[in-house]
Amino acid sequence: MAAVRELVAAGQLRCSLTSTFPLFRREVEQYVESHPPIDGRAGQLSPTAASKILGCSVSTVRRMARADRIPCDRDARGRFWFREDHLIMYQRARAAALALDSHPR
C-alpha cells in the first residue's frame, strides 16, 4: 500500500476521487494495451456470414457454436462471432471425416 501512495504522490498514479473504487491511469492504460476492444470485431464474422461459408442456416450455426462444435467468440451481449480461418478449418476437417467414412473397409 505504501508503494501505491508513493506512486500517487509522485504523480505516476492518479486516483479518481468520484469513483467507488480507486482508478489508476497507468494500470488502465496497461490493461487497454493488453486487451484490445472486443466490439471492434475486425476480421470476425457474424452468424449470418458464417452460415454462408458453411452452407447451412443461421440457426444451425448458432446451435453448433453453443455445442462447441465450431470455434467462436461471444461478446458481452452474448452474440457469436466467428473467424473465417476457423470455419475453413472446420470445413476441411468435416470433409476429411466424411471421406474416411465413405471408404469401404
Side-chain angles (χ1 to χ4, degrees), residues 46-98:
S46 68
T48 303
S51 70
K52 291 176 183 171
I53 290 173
L54 296 175
C56 59
S57 70
V58 175
S59 60
T60 299
V61 168
R62 287 188 180 116
R63 189 174 338 109
M64 290 190 318
R66 271 190 233 97
D68 291 328
R69 290 181 52 207
I70 53 176
C72 69
D73 292 324
R74 291 187 90 167
D75 64 13
R77 294 176 59 188
R79 294 176 295 190
F80 294 106
W81 294 95
F82 305 90
R83 287 182 37 188
E84 185 174 5
D85 55 331
H86 288 168
L87 298 176
I88 291 169
M89 282 191 297
Y90 169 81
Q91 283 182 311
R92 287 181 183 159
R94 187 163 187 257
L98 291 173

